[in-house]
Amino acid sequence: MELSAIKIAVIGLGYVGLPLAVEFGKKRSVTGFDISEKRVNELKQGNDYTLETSSTELAEAKFLNFTTNVDDLRQCNCFIVTVPTPIDEHNRPDLTPLIKASETVGKVLKASDIVIYESTVYPGATEEDCVPILEKYSGLKYNVDNGFYCGYSPERINPGDKEHRLPTIKKVTSGSNPEIADVVDALYRQIVVAGTHKAPSILVAEAAKVIENTQRDLNIALINELAIIFNKMGIDTEAVLQAAGSKWNFLPFRPGLVGGHCIGVDPYYLTHKAQAIGYHPEIILAGRRLNDGMGAYVASQLVKAMTKKGIKVAGAKVLVMGLTFKENCPDLRNTKVVDIIDELRDYNCQIDVFDPWANAGEARHEYNLSLTEQLKAGFYDGIILAVAHKQFKEMGEKEIRKLGVKDHILYDLKYILTPEASDLRL
């Protein structure tokens, strides 16, 4: 397929799909498809609630059109699937969005079309789970003449990061045969100025993606465990990390909650596949268990500090500052701040949650949480700085302390303040 003849459809217009559609839409015909009419209507009006693209950037994508109509996809011959791949309540991969997207694409697939997946999956998912669906709904055969072809180019979007964006992050590409791999690679090189890395197979590209976040997860788990040990010894973890970081090859990881749609999710895709082929992954799951338990650990530390200070825990008023999974970003997916909140509620604490970045409706829908709109001076027995939003950094110790009663506990989970300014640090 000649590059000039490619007409792209991006399936799924979230944190990954929209920036992709916008970049391609600056250069060539793109149809952005999403099942949410509300989302599509907002984008048509130049509004992106994820804040990953501005109204100016949306306007610059002159060849981009948005739709919820499947029939509008029939004019396209290259489909890029960017739907979420979450886990269920038992930490098992939930491929429902991927399966539904594959069904949609299969219904409009034509001979010689290319389907590229960007969603994070376990190695083998594209060809073992998605391709049979495409074949079933299209009536075409995979990777043969007069059939269809596939590619895999894992997303590397970092929500809220205005420095590392799609064009400036090197892109891994792959295809179902050497010719298609070349086409997929050349296509992405049109928008990714940082360049591409053409993997030898779809399997390799899938595996590369899933270990990127698994590696980070394990490194953070190590630092979290060190923080627990150092806390028991009365040693400031950040001071230790700064000292160790003076060596050139010490990796700059920090302790904290591991949430979001990538680091806290992707390792479970790899462990699922490992168990399916008869191998029980010990280290990866150990890291997951430790990181998933950090919310409860933070809550217990606050409760112990309040008890030592003579503050009655049952009925105590606690302010949690920040709900999103990371700073300066509205993304609430898989935020582990809710684990702190749930644990403190088990102690019968009264919780207020304040986050200037989070959407109140989404917080209510996803977690049944009502966000506090106004901070109350001199009101709280405990304050947790859970997310390092710029607004909280600008407040500083003095303004944050004003929110507490005379004897309160301030827990700086994100090292926003100096060591002397807080009562507790992770």
Side-chain angles (χ1 to χ4, degrees), residues 15 48-54 57 160 162 165 328-330 357:
Y15 284 86
D48 171 25
Y49 75 86
T50 71
L51 305 181
E52 290 302 301
T53 57
S54 65
E57 289 171 319
K162 301 308 178 186
R165 308 192 72 191
N328 308 323
C329 171
W357 285 82

Side-chain angles (χ1 to χ4, degrees), residues 317-372:
K317 302 177 182 66
V318 177
L319 173 65
V320 176
M321 299 181 70
L323 180 62
T324 61
F325 92 89
K326 66 182 295 187
E327 64 275 7
N328 308 323
C329 171
D331 197 347
L332 290 175
R333 292 175 300 173
N334 195 37
T335 174
K336 292 303 179 181
V337 179
V338 297
D339 293 352
I340 301 175
I341 296 168
D342 290 342
E343 192 75 11
L344 289 174
R345 282 179 171 168
D346 285 345
Y347 286 101
N348 291 322
C349 294
Q350 299 178 31
I351 312 296
D352 279 354
V353 183
F354 177 75
D355 193 317
W357 285 82
N359 180 277
E362 187 179 357
R364 192 176 302 108
H365 179 265
E366 294 296 327
Y367 303 107
N368 195 28
L369 284 174
S370 296
L371 297 181
T372 296

